[in-house]
Amino acid sequence: MDEVKKWTIYLIFLVAGFATGIGSIGLFPQFWLQYGITGIIVHVVFLAILTYVAILEAETVMKSGYYFVELYQKVAKRPSMIMAIFAAIVMFLSYYAANVMLTLVSPLLGTGAVARLIAKVLMFVIVFVILTRAKEKTFAIMAIGSVIFVIAVAITAVAFKLQIPENATFLGMAKHMLIARHAITLDLIKDAALRAIYGVGLGFAFYLMLGSFINERFNAKLIIGTGIFIQLLVGVLSTIIVVYGLGPTTPERLLQYVYGGDEGAIQLMGELPDILSGYPALIALIGISAFFAGVTSLLPTAEVGLQIVESTLRVGRNRAATYLIGAALAIGLVDSPPSIADMVLKAVIIITFFTAIFELYPVITSKEKLSTPGLVVAGTAALLFLVGGLYALVTVFRSGGVYVASGILAVVVIAFGLFGDKLVPGTPSE
């Protein structure tokens, strides 16, 4: 096998692992159960649009001849946009690192503030070691981890289907929820778009970084399109796992999970050892699957953040990794309590809609003119991000309480991305 074919396979699984994340294990089934077949259809439409956007981003960087950070610093001359993306990455890492490690340690430590902080520190140690020691092999390690993850999910889904009896308490109810039809509401559209944004992984500049790594010998459409398809397939397999995993419990527990949001999904992970106490092998399989799902998404996101620090501050890889993990851990000291963690998550959700626009900005302003279909898709995506972001922002302010802080934090980061160019020191000129 030649190098291009080998790395094409690696990169397909790298994209699949990045795009999947814990959300495909815990949140994709939750979304499907809540909105039924209507929600899935709307989600797939958004997923197709955003996959094409990701392809446009990678191809734009490939053709430009610039490193992805340089597109903001030298070409678009909007360095504040890439720094806003970096802020989103750091907050995301702080929240997500705890969730990833909690898939393994929550049965022992629970999911409280202390448990989240311990989990976060342990996960950051692993990420730091991989980023600083693997170096040029980092992408290959991420890809191999993604292969292991996909295989683990497939084995787990088959094992759950075979071992949980078909006459479990509410399987019929769950299956009915999956095929139910719902009215297309603003909440459905927002949640479907959000799951698609996370399903593709927009807002963190990953596909711009990917375009910096590959050249025109690689087929970006094949790499990204196949990777996102694998992500969708993992979501379907994860739905089988969750539905059958809740089989031994009650219909009330199913509904608590379906309408419990992100924290409800985390709580379910902590309760699975009790729910599946008679199936120890299944508990181990789902723990391994969820952990690898998180790691294969966490590492590429951290790699983007590291490269932004490396390019912006012009420091070495080890120092850039230290700055990145240090910043995420500093936030982690504050957002370890579950209520504060949820507040930060809501802010990241809002910010991601707008950083997805910032990520798209170099594509729209590129010297390489987009085709008419490309312009239509890019424009549609930008409008989707804007409307979704404004809706999410209004929603958190209406929620009141601690979530007002989510809105304020989001507004600060977004405003910096839009108007903060003069506040970014030392950006190199062309």
Side-chain angles (χ1 to χ4, degrees), residues 309-328:
V309 174
E310 203 173 11
S311 179
T312 302
L313 299 183
R314 305 175 201 175
V315 296
R317 185 176 180 85
N318 288 0
R319 182 170 291 185
T322 302
Y323 291 159
L324 172 69
I325 299 302

Side-chain angles (χ1 to χ4, degrees), residues 93-157:
L93 291 177
S94 177
Y95 176 87
Y96 198 65
N99 290 2
V100 173
M101 187 55 73
L102 283 175
T103 60
L104 294 183
V105 302
S106 60
L108 297 175
L109 302 178
T111 58
V114 174
R116 291 186 67 87
L117 182 57
I118 294 172
K120 198 169 299 189
V121 171
L122 291 173
M123 194 67 248
F124 279 142
V125 169
I126 295 172
V127 171
F128 182 80
V129 169
I130 293 174
L131 291 179
T132 56
R133 299 302 177 192
K135 296 184 180 178
E136 69 275 1
K137 296 181 180 178
T138 301
F139 272 29
I141 290 173
M142 294 177 194
I144 292 169
S146 298
V147 172
I148 295 171
F149 160 61
V150 172
I151 293 171
V153 169
I155 292 172
T156 305

Side-chain angles (χ1 to χ4, degrees), residues 66-290:
Y66 285 95
Y67 184 60
F68 79 100
V69 179
E70 293 177 328
L71 284 178
Y72 292 92
Q73 296 173 338
K74 295 182 178 181
V75 181
K77 300 190 184 302
R78 298 302 310 269
S80 62
M81 286 188 173
I82 194 67
M83 296 312 298
I85 292 172
F86 176 74
I89 287 172
V90 171
M91 287 188 286
F92 173 78
L93 291 177
S94 177
Y95 176 87
Y96 198 65
N99 290 2
V100 173
M101 187 55 73
L102 283 175
T103 60
L104 294 183
V105 302
S106 60
L108 297 175
L109 302 178
T111 58
V114 174
R116 291 186 67 87
L117 182 57
I118 294 172
K120 198 169 299 189
V121 171
L122 291 173
M123 194 67 248
F124 279 142
V125 169
I126 295 172
V127 171
F128 182 80
V129 169
I130 293 174
L131 291 179
T132 56
R133 299 302 177 192
K135 296 184 180 178
E136 69 275 1
K137 296 181 180 178
T138 301
F139 272 29
I141 290 173
M142 294 177 194
I144 292 169
S146 298
V147 172
I148 295 171
F149 160 61
V150 172
I151 293 171
V153 169
I155 292 172
T156 305
V158 172
F160 269 75
K161 181 71 170 63
L162 292 177
Q163 294 193 40
I164 302 296
E166 288 287 342
N167 61 353
T169 308
F170 65 88
L171 280 180
M173 172 184 170
K175 291 175 181 177
H176 175 74
M177 292 175 73
L178 293 174
I179 62 172
R181 296 181 180 181
H182 293 263
I184 298 179
T185 63
L186 282 177
D187 281 336
L188 185 153
I189 293 172
K190 176 180 72 70
D191 289 347
L194 184 61
R195 289 267 58 82
I197 290 173
Y198 279 122
V200 177
L202 295 173
F204 299 120
F206 170 78
Y207 296 99
L208 297 178
M209 181 190 73
L210 183 66
S212 297
F213 178 76
I214 60 180
N215 55 43
E216 294 187 2
R217 294 184 299 163
F218 291 88
N219 186 334
K221 294 182 178 66
L222 174 65
I223 291 168
I224 296 172
T226 307
I228 300 303
F229 177 77
I230 292 173
Q231 176 272 147
L232 181 61
L233 180 60
V234 168
V236 174
L237 293 173
S238 299
T239 303
I240 295 172
I241 293 170
V242 169
V243 168
Y244 278 86
L246 283 168
T249 185
T250 64
E252 289 75 17
R253 186 63 191 86
L254 170 68
L255 296 177
Q256 183 183 348
Y257 160 70
V258 171
Y259 299 104
D262 287 37
E263 293 301 320
I266 296 170
Q267 185 181 2
L268 173 64
M269 290 295 180
E271 294 176 0
L272 276 179
D274 293 328
I275 295 172
L276 298 171
S277 57
Y279 305 91
L282 297 183
I283 296 172
L285 281 171
I286 196 169
I288 292 169
S289 296

Side-chain angles (χ1 to χ4, degrees), residues 29-68:
Q30 186 184 63
F31 169 81
W32 192 352
L33 286 162
Q34 184 174 355
Y35 293 111
I37 194 68
T38 308
I40 289 300
I41 292 172
V42 175
H43 170 73
V44 169
V45 171
F46 283 136
L47 198 66
I49 293 171
L50 299 184
T51 298
Y52 188 55
V53 169
I55 292 168
L56 289 177
E57 291 178 358
E59 290 183 339
T60 296
V61 180
M62 285 170 57
K63 296 173 182 176
S64 72
Y66 285 95
Y67 184 60
F68 79 100

Side-chain angles (χ1 to χ4, degrees), residues 282-352:
L282 297 183
I283 296 172
L285 281 171
I286 196 169
I288 292 169
S289 296
F291 179 74
F292 272 101
V295 169
T296 55
S297 185
L298 189 69
L299 282 171
T301 307
E303 179 67 30
V304 178
L306 182 150
Q307 293 197 25
I308 292 173
V309 174
E310 203 173 11
S311 179
T312 302
L313 299 183
R314 305 175 201 175
V315 296
R317 185 176 180 85
N318 288 0
R319 182 170 291 185
T322 302
Y323 291 159
L324 172 69
I325 299 302
L329 191 55
I331 294 173
L333 295 174
V334 177
D335 72 0
S336 290
S339 59
I340 304 300
D342 195 43
M343 180 274 289
V344 172
L345 173 65
K346 293 293 191 296
V348 171
I349 288 172
I350 297 166
I351 292 167
T352 301

Side-chain angles (χ1 to χ4, degrees), residues 411-430:
V411 168
V412 169
V413 174
I414 295 162
F416 177 80
L418 290 172
F419 309 111
D421 291 320
K422 293 183 179 179
L423 300 177
V424 180
T427 53
S429 58
E430 187 172 8

